[in-house]
Amino acid sequence: MSRATSILLRRAAGVAVGLALAAPAAPASARASLADAIQRWYRTDPAIVCVSPQGRPSRCPLSDDLTTNVSLDPAGTAAVVFLTWLTDPTGNAEGTAAAVFRDGPDGWRITRRLPGIHAKPAGKVVFRGDTATFTIEAMRPDDARCCPTGRKAVRVDLR
């Protein structure tokens, strides 16, 4: 698959999840879907912030600029989720965040934020037992901030 096709497919997937995230939240008595849990995380996590046109910190809006990358484990009970969004409406700065979600009796919920992950995934997430392994983009010493060329392997406990 070409890089352009891959980017288009990721954007289409992000828009589809973005549309699901824009749907009204389910009543508290209903089981939370994964999209509901991701939306709650995006809207409430204090580490996910944007900057207003006036330069002040603000909550990030749900928009086409939000890209969601979701990888489910084979059993469909755990997910590793990466978010990428534009943090500044006047420029091209991106924010990234990652977290682990689990499905339980009340539905999906975030179980662990991955605070050290500040880059986009650079491949598939591989699940083995209670761990997920993936590669993220990493800055090399001579890289421009826009364009990391390095890769870093990450292993995450899903429990």
Side-chain angles (χ1 to χ4, degrees):
M1 173 183 322
S2 73
R3 179 165 165 69
T5 302
S6 176
I7 291 169
L8 288 173
L9 289 174
R10 278 185 290 176
R11 287 188 184 260
V15 170
V17 172
L19 292 173
L21 294 177
S29 62
R31 267 180 53 77
S33 71
L34 181 54
D36 292 337
I38 294 169
Q39 180 182 23
R40 189 169 35 262
W41 170 44
Y42 183 73
R43 289 184 177 214
T44 62
D45 190 323
I48 296 176
V49 294
C50 287
V51 178
S52 73
Q54 295 77 31
R56 291 189 290 272
S58 65
R59 295 302 315 156
C60 299
L62 287 173
S63 71
D64 291 342
D65 296 325
L66 172 64
T67 301
T68 308
N69 181 317
V70 178
S71 296
L72 286 171
D73 74 333
T77 59
V80 176
V81 178
F82 298 88
L83 298 178
T84 305
W85 66 95
L86 290 180
T87 59
D88 179 356
T90 64
N92 62 358
E94 283 186 333
T96 56
V100 173
F101 289 78
R102 300 277 311 185
D103 190 13
D106 296 329
W108 286 90
R109 64 182 174 81
I110 188 170
T111 57
R112 187 168 164 208
R113 289 166 183 80
L114 304 174
I117 308 297
H118 298 291
K120 296 176 188 176
K124 293 187 339 181
V125 176
V126 177
F127 294 93
R128 275 199 190 94
D130 288 328
T131 63
T133 305
F134 52 89
T135 303
I136 59 172
E137 296 175 344
M139 297 295 292
R140 288 187 170 172
D142 293 331
D143 286 348
R145 294 290 298 158
C146 71
C147 311
T149 61
R151 299 292 182 259
K152 176 183 172 185
V154 178
R155 185 176 172 159
V156 176
D157 185 349
L158 297 173
R159 293 173 281 173

